[in-house]
Amino acid sequence: MKISQLASTLIVSAVAASAQADNSFQLSSPQIQANSSISADFEFNGFGCSGNNQSPELHWKNAPAGTKSFAVSVYDPDAPTGSGFWHWYVVNIPVTASGLAANAGAADQANLPQGAFQLRTDYGYHGWGGVCPPQGDDAHRYIFTVHALNTEKLAVDENTTTALGGFLVNAHTIDKASFTAYYQRK
């Protein structure tokens, strides 16, 4: 194969891969960019933190075929607990949803799509629990994930832990999309 033919083949392969990547399941937020710092607006109000404790707006696209519902989680693997820290876990989001509105994590669940349910977070209540790493720690990673599920509804209730919820979500996940952002208290 000539060098020009090889170059053409590589270019066509790269364009095809790029087009395929553009059709992959994706998660984003207009308020929190991937690999960036999280604004104090999303900080918890308690445990020494004094933020607004409001969840960010999230959007997803290109859900895979067979998706029947979604789940969204926010997890801090750097929390000094030995097991990380679950800041938010929403399940039973209808397949018709393509995102969650700003402050969808309000404890009264009024801003969630109908049928969606917030599991109890590691703060001990149902709703968004904002970022709040210990003062002086290096920046913590916050992993935002949307799961495309092959079931319309998970069997959960107000007593379901995030560990059990995570087990159920992972058992029904077709695909997932994530981004990571960072937060540090000075």
Side-chain angles (χ1 to χ4, degrees), residues 120-176:
R120 184 183 312 272
T121 68
D122 286 342
Y123 283 117
Y125 68 89
H126 301 266
W128 166 261
V131 299
C132 185
Q135 196 159 5
D137 270 16
D138 289 339
H140 284 211
R141 296 169 289 164
Y142 294 87
I143 304 169
F144 293 75
T145 304
V146 61
H147 295 258
L149 305 179
N150 64 4
T151 185
E152 288 182 24
K153 189 171 182 180
L154 297 175
V156 297
D157 62 27
E158 63 278 350
N159 296 314
T160 303
T161 64
T162 51
L164 178 55
F167 173 80
L168 295 170
V169 165
N170 285 312
H172 292 281
T173 294
I174 299 170
D175 198 3
K176 62 185 176 179

Side-chain angles (χ1 to χ4, degrees), residues 19-42:
Q20 185 178 10
D22 291 343
N23 291 326
S24 65
F25 193 30
Q26 297 174 26
L27 175 65
S28 63
S29 171
Q31 299 162 317
I32 300 174
Q33 303 302 309
N35 299 312
S36 70
S37 293
I38 297 172
S39 165
D41 293 337
F42 305 106

Side-chain angles (χ1 to χ4, degrees), residues 8-158:
S8 294
T9 301
L10 290 173
I11 290 170
V12 168
S13 295
V15 169
S18 176
Q20 185 178 10
D22 291 343
N23 291 326
S24 65
F25 193 30
Q26 297 174 26
L27 175 65
S28 63
S29 171
Q31 299 162 317
I32 300 174
Q33 303 302 309
N35 299 312
S36 70
S37 293
I38 297 172
S39 165
D41 293 337
F42 305 106
E43 186 180 79
F44 189 64
N45 191 348
F47 283 59
C49 291
S50 58
N52 295 329
N53 198 45
Q54 294 191 352
S55 60
E57 183 177 345
L58 297 173
H59 300 280
W60 52 84
K61 63 181 181 179
N62 303 325
T67 301
K68 295 183 179 177
S69 70
F70 298 98
V72 168
S73 63
V74 179
Y75 175 68
D76 172 4
D78 302 316
T81 64
S83 61
F85 198 93
W86 292 100
H87 288 267
W88 200 24
Y89 222 125
V90 186
V91 298
N92 299 337
I93 302 168
V95 70
T96 54
S98 59
L100 294 173
N103 202 27
D108 65 6
Q109 303 198 65
N111 298 331
L112 286 174
Q114 188 168 8
F117 182 77
Q118 298 179 112
L119 298 176
R120 184 183 312 272
T121 68
D122 286 342
Y123 283 117
Y125 68 89
H126 301 266
W128 166 261
V131 299
C132 185
Q135 196 159 5
D137 270 16
D138 289 339
H140 284 211
R141 296 169 289 164
Y142 294 87
I143 304 169
F144 293 75
T145 304
V146 61
H147 295 258
L149 305 179
N150 64 4
T151 185
E152 288 182 24
K153 189 171 182 180
L154 297 175
V156 297
D157 62 27
E158 63 278 350

